[in-house]
Amino acid sequence: MAMVETTSAERHLLVVDDDDRIRDLLKEYLTRAGFRVSAAPGGAAARKLMETLDFDLAVFDVMMPGEDGFSLTRWLRERKGAAGGTPILMLTARGLAEDRIEGLRLGADDYLAKPFEPEELLLRIEAILRRAQARPLAATTALVSLGRCRFDAERGELSCDGAAVRLTEAEIALLRRLARSPHEPVERMELAKETVDPSGRAIDVQVTRLRRKIEADPKAPRYLQTVRGIGYLLAPD
């Protein structure tokens, strides 16, 4: 199979899949692509690795006996510190939209249905890691005031009442894009272009998650507003 040129040196990935053959193939392929790769056959082994090592990105299979990928994603997102914000790419044999949305709702950054080409997996991993390193285009939008919350677009960090709030890489990318055009609506489909679901549903899920983090009343948002028939806008102080 063809390899894609990468700049992945020293990036540490975690691959979690109960299928020995798939897990070994993915580890070999991603290692050949230049990544450092650790692998686990299930949730228990994955937790032990994540409690002792730092990873740049985790790849979780959804359909695993015992603890599935959804449960593992929920556990990781509830962890404190930088580890809780580790980017997650989910793999599954079930390509239903409901499953994709559930993964995103729990905090996954992307979703890839089996069977897939290893090259596509590699490209999606690289895209997530690029988003993790992205910087805003304008310095004037680096610090955004949202009532009790502050979003540092340069660092991709959100704090509310002085306490750090974890964001997924997809949520950081969305906030950065909206912060570049404060008080101006951004079309929903434009925001959806680089998501796992170009229909826009993934954006709706991310907006719902962000409102729970920044709004006093997520059902009556003050800062992350819906512009009916267009999309969303960010209305900082």
Side-chain angles (χ1 to χ4, degrees), residues 4-210:
V4 177
E5 183 178 352
T6 74
T7 56
S8 51
E10 303 306 319
R11 296 300 183 90
H12 194 183
L13 308 184
L14 173 63
V15 174
V16 186
D17 197 309
D18 65 301
D19 187 312
D20 295 342
R21 177 177 173 275
I22 292 177
R23 187 176 65 253
D24 291 344
L25 285 173
L26 290 180
K27 182 174 182 179
E28 178 183 359
Y29 184 80
L30 293 171
T31 299
R32 288 171 55 200
F35 291 100
R36 177 187 174 194
V37 184
S38 296
R47 286 182 186 231
K48 290 181 180 179
L49 286 171
M50 289 186 286
E51 287 171 347
T52 57
L53 298 172
D54 293 326
F55 294 95
D56 294 286
L57 181 142
V59 179
F60 293 160
D61 182 38
V62 170
M63 301 299 291
M64 295 186 293
E67 184 174 23
D68 63 18
F70 291 143
S71 176
L72 196 56
T73 295
R74 185 184 297 109
W75 170 81
L76 182 57
R77 287 293 175 253
E78 290 174 349
R79 291 193 65 195
K80 296 180 179 180
T86 303
I88 298 171
L89 173 63
M90 304 195 80
L91 305 177
T92 184
R94 291 156 44 182
L96 297 177
E98 290 75 12
D99 292 329
R100 296 197 300 271
I101 296 303
E102 177 64 14
L104 293 169
R105 184 176 292 114
L106 292 172
D109 293 275
D110 204 349
Y111 202 106
L112 186 59
K114 297 177 180 178
F116 57 84
E117 290 294 330
E119 183 175 336
E120 181 179 3
L121 173 65
L122 179 58
L123 291 172
R124 285 177 180 265
I125 287 172
E126 290 178 329
I128 295 172
L129 293 175
R130 282 197 300 271
R131 289 200 300 267
Q133 294 179 325
R135 293 293 181 267
L137 297 181
T140 56
T141 64
L143 187 61
V144 182
S145 177
L146 305 166
R148 66 188 182 87
C149 299
R150 297 290 184 275
F151 176 58
D152 187 327
E154 183 174 0
R155 294 180 178 272
E157 297 175 351
L158 176 69
S159 62
C160 295
D161 297 322
V165 178
R166 288 190 299 272
L167 297 174
T168 68
E169 292 304 327
E171 291 167 351
I172 292 171
L174 175 58
L175 270 180
R176 280 174 168 163
R177 174 62 189 88
L178 293 172
R180 292 210 308 266
S181 307
H183 302 285
E184 296 181 7
V186 181
E187 291 186 2
R188 181 168 173 267
M189 298 313 295
E190 177 186 338
L191 296 171
K193 285 180 181 178
E194 296 186 4
T195 72
V196 66
D197 188 346
S199 71
R201 291 185 64 189
I203 289 296
D204 298 336
V205 171
Q206 291 162 10
V207 166
T208 297
R209 284 175 54 86
L210 281 171

